Amino acid sequence: MTNTQVTLVQIDNYGPWTVTPEPRREADLQTMQSRLYADISQFVGNRGGYVFFSRFDNMIAVTNGLSMADHELLQESVNNRYPVTLSLGVATGTSPVQALADATTLVQEAGSAQDKSRRECLKGRAIETAHQTADDVQIAHFDVINATGNYTDELNAFDTFIEIEQGYAELMRHMRTAHESLSFFVGGDNIIVSCPNLTEGDYEDAIHHVEDAVDVELQVGVGRGENAHDAGFAAKHALEICRADGTRVEVDW
């Protein structure tokens, strides 16, 4: 039984800040967003978690193994080094989608994303160390079969991007609606999915669904672990078996 801890990371009052006292240069905003994401990813990653940039002003993290004190330290670190602050909602559940929904509600109840009075709210509860298990997190790592040969070396860079994004969008929708999972594009042709307790057959159905819908062929490695790093590393190893043996689905548990 999975028990995924999800943290919603939301920049406080970000929209109004970007145009106060006048609109800020887009290049400066993009640079700040990317640096902030990199720092949050390193902070959470050093503690066994994964962070996904989502819309940048909202980031979604799988944070099994991080305590509420860790989350508070993250807020303090960002406040000391950036012109923006973070509000965080932390929730757990057997379904990553439900955990994110609960985390989102906690932040929303503290105030609007454009509420000047909301600063560094930290709401929710982390899984206690004594209650963590080696099956808490299930991570699936998808990639496109022979993306280099089929797309990168054949199409221009933008058309390749379109093809990859179509596969991602279809997988994201399917995994969300059919399996209560959260899917994130992580660069190249790679998609990482935080999943509940799914079966090998569920993953086979997912890759066939995407192929039928948008004609993009996927393969996937799946792993479990106490935190996102452990589960994701197992998934990476399973995906290497797919690449070596030509299989479509491999699980490591």
Side-chain angles (χ1 to χ4, degrees):
M1 182 69 71
T2 57
N3 192 27
T4 310
Q5 179 174 301
V6 173
T7 300
L8 172 65
V9 180
Q10 190 172 93
I11 301 178
D12 293 318
N13 200 34
Y14 186 59
W17 178 81
T18 64
V19 294
T20 304
E22 59 183 10
R24 301 174 191 269
R25 291 188 347 133
E26 189 60 32
D28 294 338
L29 295 176
Q30 295 298 320
T31 299
M32 192 275 285
Q33 287 178 168
S34 63
R35 287 176 176 165
L36 178 60
Y37 166 68
D39 282 347
I40 296 173
S41 182
Q42 184 174 51
F43 182 97
V44 174
N46 285 342
R47 292 158 177 79
Y50 279 178
V51 179
F52 304 99
F53 51 77
S54 180
R55 297 185 293 129
F56 282 108
D57 57 345
N58 286 258
M59 300 174 224
I60 298 168
V62 179
T63 56
N64 293 68
L66 275 75
S67 66
M68 296 305 287
D70 291 325
H71 285 78
E72 188 174 2
L73 181 60
L74 172 61
Q75 288 179 314
E76 181 182 349
S77 177
V78 169
N79 190 17
N80 286 339
R81 293 182 296 119
Y82 285 90
V84 296
T85 58
L86 302 178
S87 284
L88 308 175
V90 186
T92 61
T94 57
S95 155
V97 165
Q98 186 58 56
L100 176 59
D102 293 342
T104 302
T105 298
L106 291 170
V107 173
Q108 289 172 339
E109 289 176 346
S112 168
Q114 296 189 7
D115 186 343
K116 293 182 180 180
S117 66
R118 194 196 76 184
R119 285 290 186 273
E120 295 184 293
C121 88
L122 175 57
K123 302 291 184 181
R125 185 177 65 178
I127 301 171
E128 296 179 6
T129 302
H131 296 157
Q132 296 174 4
T133 75
D135 293 331
D136 277 347
V137 182
Q138 185 172 127
I139 294 289
H141 192 143
F142 289 81
D143 77 357
V144 177
I145 295 174
N146 194 23
T148 301
N150 291 333
Y151 303 108
T152 307
D153 291 346
E154 295 294 325
L155 305 175
N156 71 60
F158 195 76
D159 289 341
T160 295
F161 176 65
I162 290 173
E163 294 293 330
I164 300 298
E165 286 292 297
Q166 282 183 328
Y168 165 48
E170 193 60 41
L171 180 67
M172 176 173 55
R173 282 190 290 264
H174 176 78
M175 295 301 288
R176 165 65 180 90
T177 57
H179 299 301
E180 293 283 297
S181 301
L182 302 172
S183 305
F184 303 95
F185 178 67
V186 293
D189 63 335
N190 295 271
I191 303 160
I192 290 178
V193 187
S194 176
C195 306
N197 193 29
L198 303 185
T199 67
E200 189 170 348
D202 293 327
Y203 293 106
E204 291 172 350
D205 290 343
I207 61 177
H208 289 309
H209 171 84
V210 172
E211 187 173 353
D212 290 343
V214 294
D215 196 28
V216 173
E217 295 182 321
L218 300 173
Q219 56 196 355
V220 59
V222 189
R224 291 176 179 161
E226 188 172 297
N227 56 42
H229 169 74
D230 291 346
F233 210 59
K236 284 178 180 288
H237 283 293
L239 183 58
E240 286 303 312
I241 295 174
C242 288
R243 291 167 176 160
D245 295 349
T247 52
R248 300 291 295 273
V249 180
E250 294 288 342
V251 299
D252 185 349
W253 59 61

